[in-house]
Amino acid sequence: MDGINPARSPADLRLERRIFAVSHGRDLTPEERETLERIRPPRTYPVRPAARAYDGPIAMLPVAQLYVRDVPDLSPPEGKDLLQVLWCPFDHPIMPRTLLAWRSAAAVTDVLDTPPEPPAVQFDGYLPEPCVLEPEQITEYPDHLELSEELREQLQQWSVPQAAEEDLDPDTYYDCVLSNAPGWKVGGWPAWNSTDPSPQPCSACGTRMEVLMTIATFEEGDDAGNSWSPHPHPGAGPYPGHRGYNATGVQIGSGYRQHLFVCPAEPEHPHIELMT
């Protein structure tokens, strides 16, 4: 815990989201205000760092469950057709630490009606909102920083008339419209918004790792027009204060993405997490 942002229980966070959802467009009732103040008391300054220790192991939160039948490009280990992604609801240190569980769906017979939950979550955005996936296969291209200088020059010339037709900046047209789809995705290319491209070698065998999955704050970018907008657009996210479409309620950093890299030679080798 960081001593500034008090951890809250998953139940309280879900209740807060429900109150914001039902009160959208109107003033809060006295009862709603009272409940929100209980969940999130007004801060008094100065803030004094505080920490609370939780004895014993803390349950991880489910983030995604993907079947090969729905996402053929998963490339699971032999005999596995199900990927379950979980994470710790606390920073390690700037994003949640993830666990990849490759399983056989047929072997999962003992399903809990009420899965265990952690006693607290460090940040609101670390508690995913349940969603049903509707996979859509798309084609995207590498970030311009991963291309040769010659190819970048060719793209710059090609982008001028294309960008003019859509009233976009030709300097950013390729990255915004073609190169990298925003939002949650499996496979594809990593985004390099906050850092330069860097190879991610497997710690076990040295093979260059590939993106398995991207966990994103938003499903669409600020500058891409309608190029990558979900269709049909389902509207705003589950809680206020976030720009763009955010159905999952997840926030990585101040609005970034978390890439999970895996070894293509052996998917069960240790994976790498990178925020961009």
Side-chain angles (χ1 to χ4, degrees):
M1 298 178 64
D2 59 10
I4 298 175
N5 300 279
R8 308 183 192 283
S9 72
D12 278 349
L13 290 179
R14 293 188 183 105
L15 176 57
E16 182 182 60
R17 291 178 183 178
R18 286 198 298 271
I19 290 174
F20 282 132
V22 300
S23 64
H24 182 70
R26 65 166 173 80
D27 292 336
L28 293 169
T29 67
E31 293 78 9
E32 289 169 339
R33 291 185 184 278
E34 182 180 346
T35 300
L36 291 177
E37 288 189 4
R38 175 187 64 78
I39 295 172
R40 196 179 299 273
R43 255 187 209 171
T44 57
Y45 293 89
V47 176
R48 294 184 178 180
R52 177 182 175 184
Y54 295 98
D55 296 329
I58 294 179
M60 302 184 83
L61 287 168
V63 177
Q65 179 166 275
L66 306 173
Y67 293 88
V68 173
R69 64 173 183 263
D70 298 322
V71 189
D73 294 335
L74 267 180
S75 301
E78 185 176 357
K80 308 294 177 65
D81 61 354
L82 169 65
L83 170 63
Q84 294 174 324
V85 182
L86 303 96
W87 69 20
C88 175
F90 291 85
D91 265 348
H92 288 269
I94 58 173
M95 56 185 166
R97 179 173 296 167
T98 54
L99 171 70
L100 306 182
W102 296 97
R103 310 180 68 180
S104 168
V108 181
T109 57
D110 187 12
V111 180
L112 298 176
D113 293 331
T114 306
E117 287 194 329
V121 177
Q122 184 171 1
F123 296 111
D124 301 13
Y126 289 178
L127 178 65
E129 190 76 10
C131 298
V132 176
L133 299 177
E134 295 182 11
E136 176 187 8
Q137 193 165 35
I138 61 172
T139 299
E140 62 172 15
Y141 300 93
D143 188 288
H144 78 280
L145 294 174
E146 297 196 60
L147 305 177
S148 66
E149 184 175 348
E150 179 183 1
L151 187 52
R152 287 203 298 267
E153 291 177 357
Q154 293 176 1
L155 282 171
Q156 173 68 19
Q157 297 174 6
W158 173 84
S159 295
V160 172
Q162 306 294 329
E165 290 183 7
E166 301 186 40
D167 195 26
L168 295 173
D169 184 349
D171 292 333
T172 59
Y173 180 81
Y174 172 77
D175 280 341
C176 290
V177 177
L178 296 175
S179 75
N180 199 278
W184 290 54
K185 62 187 179 183
V186 173
W189 296 92
W192 302 107
N193 297 340
S194 57
T195 183
D196 290 335
S198 58
Q200 304 296 323
C202 175
S203 61
C205 67
T207 302
R208 181 165 180 164
M209 305 183 86
E210 299 176 351
V211 176
L212 167 72
M213 181 178 178
T214 298
I215 300 169
T217 301
F218 305 110
E219 288 301 314
E220 53 189 7
D222 284 337
D223 305 318
N226 294 321
S227 176
W228 298 111
S229 294
H231 180 76
H233 194 294
Y239 56 100
H242 288 216
R243 59 178 172 80
Y245 172 47
N246 177 250
T248 63
V250 164
Q251 181 171 347
I252 303 298
S254 58
Y256 295 100
R257 319 178 201 196
Q258 182 179 16
H259 296 304
L260 307 183
F261 288 81
V262 294
C263 176
E266 178 48 71
E268 292 184 301
H269 279 172
H271 69 287
I272 293 175
E273 301 150 345
L274 186 67
M275 183 169 72
T276 67

